[in-house]
Amino acid sequence: MKKKVLKFGGTSVGSIERIMHAAEIVKKEHSLGNQIIVVVSAMSGKTNELISLSDSISKKFNKRELDVLLSSGEQVTSSLMAGALTSAGVKSKSWMSWQIPIFTSGEHANARIENINVKNINAYLSEGGVAVIPGFQGVSKSGDINTIGRGGSDATAVAIAKIFNTDSCEIYTDVDGVYSTDPNKIPVAKKIDKISYEEMLELSSLGAKVMQSSAVQTAMIHDIPIQVRSTFTARQGTEISNQGNIDYTKIVTGVAYSKDDAKITLIGVLDKPGIAADIFEPLGKNQINIDMVIQTISPDGKTTDITFTIKRNDFKKTLDTLNSNKKIKFKNLNHNDKVSKISVVGAGMVTTPGVTFKMFRALADENINILAISTSEIKISVIINENDTLKAVKKLHTIFDLD
Ligand code: ADP
Ligand code: ASP
Ligand code: MG
């Protein structure tokens, strides 16, 4: 007997037919004698639909109420899943996060799971029941509902795997594993059988939404292997686990991209100690995450240019914060909110020189201009014009032998 958490994503519970199909998978696993905790996402598109409802009241809709609203999507599917299981003859019950409870801390829309009470669910599992839990949410110590960030049902599944000490954490989704790049956009993408936590974390945080990045981070810290597989085919999926088990034959494992970036350049900023801190401190205080930063050498020793990138939905807030910052002066402000970030990721890069050059040459051959660059041990990212995104991804996928 094994204890398992099975998480079904939005497409996998996107209709009644699909929920019944997912319930069959659960039933099969349960009939093998396993103890099963099911985590469900909202039906695909539901969370976006709920966000637009709140937007139509106000773009600054109350954050507490937004979390109450968004959490309802997963509550609907957990009840439908538990109902589908009982109709299929499996003892099952849904548990809302306040009933368990799943305790969260932090801000609305971006909370973290701190703890989960295992007692009642463990007792139910021992009686042969299947517990169904809504992903993406918890309750704060003061009893308010919190959501834990977009794609957060993955993080719920990993937190459950950790706290219930399950034997496996299985992520059922609409693709049959993690691919070298998004298979829905680049059909020559290849499925990866095994990938390290580190590489998956880079891919996820750089745009591969097949796994949510904070879920991968928790899995990495606590060494919780994850299986990503399809709800719709029986093909073997991808194992995300410790590097030690992985045989590296490729320098680059995958290419990720995000199309929600923006770039800002401050021209003619005074070149003196403390200026960067004066620019970035108010941005940090306003919860704006800075990604890449480039400071050019000052030709006259007096002024310099500073370029940085941010997420596109922070664009307006960033411009407002810069323009109202009395501590800084600049001659000009250039901005471009139609840029994307393309990244190549691979643990093999650590020991292979020339990857950076190869990437830049390939983009140049396609006439793609690089607007900013950042590197870490196992990734290289560039900012380019958004229109060139797929062309760049295709080219990099080919030259790094991933097709
Ligand atoms: P779920 O609703 O099951 O959580 P998501 O839509 O969040 O599913 O994630 C699955 C999607 O991730 C796929 O449909 C695919 O388009 C996209 N994706 C992006 N990059 C990758 C990748 N490298 N490998 C697999 N899928 C990817
Ligand atoms: N329904 C939430 C979202 O769309 C959480 C999830 O699906 O994982 O972001
Ligand atoms: Mg997802």
Side-chain angles (χ1 to χ4, degrees):
M1 183 198 75
K2 287 194 166 149
K3 192 185 272 188
K4 296 185 169 195
V5 46
L6 310 186
K7 179 254 168 179
F8 292 91
T11 318
S12 309
V13 294
S15 65
I16 294 302
E17 217 181 18
R18 288 183 174 178
I19 290 175
M20 285 165 69
H21 173 70
E24 280 306 315
I25 296 176
V26 176
K27 182 176 178 177
K28 191 168 161 223
E29 285 289 344
H30 184 252
S31 70
L32 296 171
N34 297 314
Q35 291 191 340
I36 310 286
I37 303 173
V38 177
V39 174
V40 284
S41 286
M43 289 178 161
S44 53
K46 193 62 190 181
T47 309
N48 288 342
E49 193 187 313
L50 295 169
I51 291 173
S52 6
L53 284 180
S54 72
D55 276 350
S56 54
I57 291 180
S58 162
K59 290 270 183 210
K60 291 189 174 152
F61 193 78
N62 183 284
K63 287 187 173 157
R64 179 189 183 276
E65 300 314 324
L66 185 61
D67 270 357
V68 174
L69 180 68
L70 297 193
S71 64
S72 68
E74 273 72 8
Q75 298 184 10
V76 168
T77 46
S78 43
S79 115
L80 289 171
M81 173 63 84
L85 284 165
T86 53
S87 294
V90 180
K91 175 174 165 162
S92 179
K93 187 169 138 180
S94 66
W95 308 66
M96 298 301 98
S97 56
W98 55 269
Q99 293 174 311
I100 301 172
I102 297 178
F103 286 116
T104 46
S105 68
E107 286 174 53
H108 279 299
N110 200 19
R112 277 182 317 279
I113 294 180
E114 292 289 347
N115 208 353
I116 303 176
N117 181 354
V118 299
K119 199 167 150 245
N120 295 339
I121 289 182
N122 271 339
Y124 189 68
L125 297 177
S126 321
E127 291 162 14
V130 171
V132 183
I133 295 175
F136 181 51
Q137 58 202 275
V139 279
S140 69
K141 283 269 156 27
S142 56
D144 285 327
I145 292 182
N146 276 328
T147 62
I148 60 170
R150 293 306 304 270
S153 300
D154 293 337
T156 304
V158 173
I160 286 177
K162 177 184 137 206
I163 294 167
F164 284 82
N165 199 15
T166 64
D167 297 289
S168 71
C169 178
E170 302 177 19
I171 305 291
Y172 283 85
T173 182
D174 57 0
V175 282
D176 54 11
V178 178
Y179 277 68
S180 51
T181 193
D182 187 342
N184 289 326
K185 293 287 181 322
I186 310 283
V188 291
K190 273 215 185 101
K191 187 161 70 75
I192 302 168
D193 294 332
K194 281 186 172 189
I195 187 167
S196 66
Y197 296 123
E198 287 80 3
E199 288 176 307
M200 191 66 235
L201 183 57
E202 290 283 10
L203 285 175
S204 305
S205 44
L206 294 166
K209 75 163 183 159
V210 60
M211 276 301 299
Q212 191 221 27
S213 55
S214 69
V216 181
Q217 193 176 29
T218 309
M220 180 166 91
I221 293 169
H222 301 282
D223 193 10
I224 300 163
I226 297 173
Q227 317 292 327
V228 180
R229 61 173 53 145
S230 165
T231 307
F232 309 108
T233 72
R235 259 187 91 190
Q236 205 195 326
T238 299
E239 180 182 298
I240 306 168
S241 63
N242 226 322
Q243 233 169 8
N245 308 328
I246 294 164
D247 170 27
Y248 287 107
T249 48
K250 287 197 156 57
I251 302 163
V252 169
T253 306
V255 183
Y257 65 93
S258 61
K259 285 173 126 185
D260 54 354
D261 300 80
K263 179 174 81 78
I264 290 180
T265 304
L266 296 175
I267 298 167
V269 186
L270 221 52
D271 192 15
K272 59 164 193 185
I275 192 69
D278 286 343
I279 294 171
F280 292 115
E281 189 183 3
L283 298 174
K285 284 194 173 145
N286 275 311
Q287 311 294 331
I288 298 164
N289 251 326
I290 310 296
D291 187 7
M292 302 182 190
V293 181
I294 301 165
Q295 180 170 343
T296 38
I297 293 173
S298 158
D300 56 2
K302 287 185 191 130
T303 60
T304 183
D305 301 342
I306 295 184
T307 297
F308 60 94
T309 64
I310 45 166
K311 285 290 156 217
R312 204 173 288 170
N313 49 18
D314 286 333
F315 186 57
K316 195 176 169 303
K317 193 158 76 165
T318 304
L319 291 183
D320 291 348
T321 310
L322 288 170
N323 286 322
S324 60
N325 185 344
K326 298 268 181 305
K327 278 192 168 172
I328 56 168
K329 285 204 182 90
F330 46 85
K331 284 199 194 98
N332 237 320
L333 190 157
N334 284 349
H335 51 79
N336 183 351
D337 67 344
K338 296 279 180 299
V339 295
S340 62
K341 181 162 69 172
I342 317 289
S343 309
V344 297
V345 172
M349 272 185 213
V350 181
T351 49
T352 317
V355 183
T356 316
F357 147 76
K358 199 170 168 183
M359 176 173 185
F360 296 168
R361 171 67 65 215
L363 295 172
D365 288 347
E366 293 294 306
N367 228 348
I368 295 170
N369 200 19
I370 299 173
L371 307 174
I373 302 162
S374 83
T375 61
S376 78
E377 252 195 334
I378 64 164
K379 74 119 205 270
I380 308 165
S381 300
V382 294
I383 296 285
I384 62 171
N385 281 319
E386 190 183 323
N387 289 341
D388 291 327
T389 309
L390 284 186
K391 189 160 79 167
V393 175
K394 269 187 198 144
K395 178 76 180 182
L396 296 174
H397 199 267
T398 305
I399 61 141
F400 287 112
D401 297 327
L402 298 172
D403 289 359

